[in-house]
């Protein structure tokens, strides 16, 4: 990746709401093709940072350089209920043969033959697959995932995680996954970031072989360390995480 221009470059990015500084001087670079996971407690600034990167929040200050038309997938698939699956995928697509690309993308996410299905006819996991197809059909260089699996049941979630990994490897975008799930971050990402009180307090590169398994000793070890950083104690209770944690990197 060395020598390539970063897909994302943030310098001293700040965002306040009503006097409350939600992002407090964030510096970040994401290289082409990197898969990052962003962890943090509720209110730490995770989703605000994602919205800034997506161009959905214009109120931030500092330097913000990001990918071309970043694609976003939210926890809610946000499909138009009055349009079929294929129509949702290609909505606003201005390239050549949008229908052909849309059909191919639906097949890639495992929904071949469901092009004419209404969103109400699809399961939660299938609706999220349509949302992923819609995000990737334009071949973005940056894919932003805002807790896209959190509303899915356990088995569907595992399947969706594997699908995202497969799509990342085949299409090659840089990915930023916002999640509360430490294990999910360790199974999917190249780098894990932790945000607390608007500061990036931890940036860890994961040089772990793929495919990764939950029971792999290195995954277990790093999970314990990250939970400790996040203030999760042995009895499962959580404590507020300080932005001055001894292992933090800004």
């Amino acid at each position: 990746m060395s020598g390539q221009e970063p897909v994302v470059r943030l310098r001293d990015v700040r965002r306040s709401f009503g006097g409350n500084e939600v992002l407090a001087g964030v510096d970040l670079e994401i290289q082409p093709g990197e898969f990052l996971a962003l962890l943090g407690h509720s209110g730490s600034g995770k989703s605000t940072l994602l919205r800034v990167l997506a161009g959905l929040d214009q109120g931030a200050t500092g330097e913000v350089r990001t990918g071309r038309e970043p694609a976003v997938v939210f926890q809610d698939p946000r499909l138009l209920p009055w349009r079929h699956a294929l129509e949702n995928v290609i909505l606003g697509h201005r390239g050549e043969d949008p229908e052909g690309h849309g059909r191919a993308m639906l097949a890639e996410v495992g929904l071949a033959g469901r092009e004419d299905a209404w969103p109400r006819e699809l399961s939660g996991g299938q609706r999220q697959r349509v949302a992923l197809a819609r995000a990737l059909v334009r071949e973005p260089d940056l894919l932003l995932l805002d807790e896209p699996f959190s509303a899915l049941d356990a088995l569907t979630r595992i399947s969706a995680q594997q699908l995202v990994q497969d799509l990342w490897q085949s299409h090659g975008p840089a990915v930023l996954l916002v999640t509360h799930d430490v294990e999910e971050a360790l199974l999917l990402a190249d780098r894990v970031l932790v945000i607390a009180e608007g500061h990036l307090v931890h940036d860890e590169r994961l040089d772990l072989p793929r495919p990764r398994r939950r029971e792999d000793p290195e995954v277990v070890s790093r999970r314990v360390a990250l939970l400790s950083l996040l203030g999760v104690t042995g009895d499962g209770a959580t404590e507020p995480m300080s932005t001055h944690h001894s292992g933090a990197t800004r």
Side-chain angles (χ1 to χ4, degrees), residues 69-144:
E69 298 184 14
V72 190
V73 178
F74 296 97
Q75 178 180 338
D76 178 353
R78 302 190 180 190
L79 304 182
L80 298 179
W82 57 88
R83 291 184 181 270
H84 296 110
L86 178 60
E87 293 173 317
N88 269 284
V89 168
I90 65 176
L91 188 67
H93 191 293
R94 296 179 179 83
E96 294 183 6
D97 190 19
E99 185 170 320
H101 282 103
R103 289 181 181 276
M105 198 66 239
L106 281 172
E108 193 170 348
V109 301
L111 291 176
R114 303 307 306 275
E115 295 86 357
D116 294 330
W118 299 103
R120 66 177 180 272
E121 297 173 331
L122 301 172
S123 68
Q126 289 172 330
R127 288 194 293 271
Q128 201 61 284
R129 287 170 182 258
V130 174
L132 282 167
R134 180 178 59 192
L136 287 169
V137 74
R138 296 170 185 79
E139 296 291 341
D141 58 353
L142 177 63
L143 177 62
L144 303 167

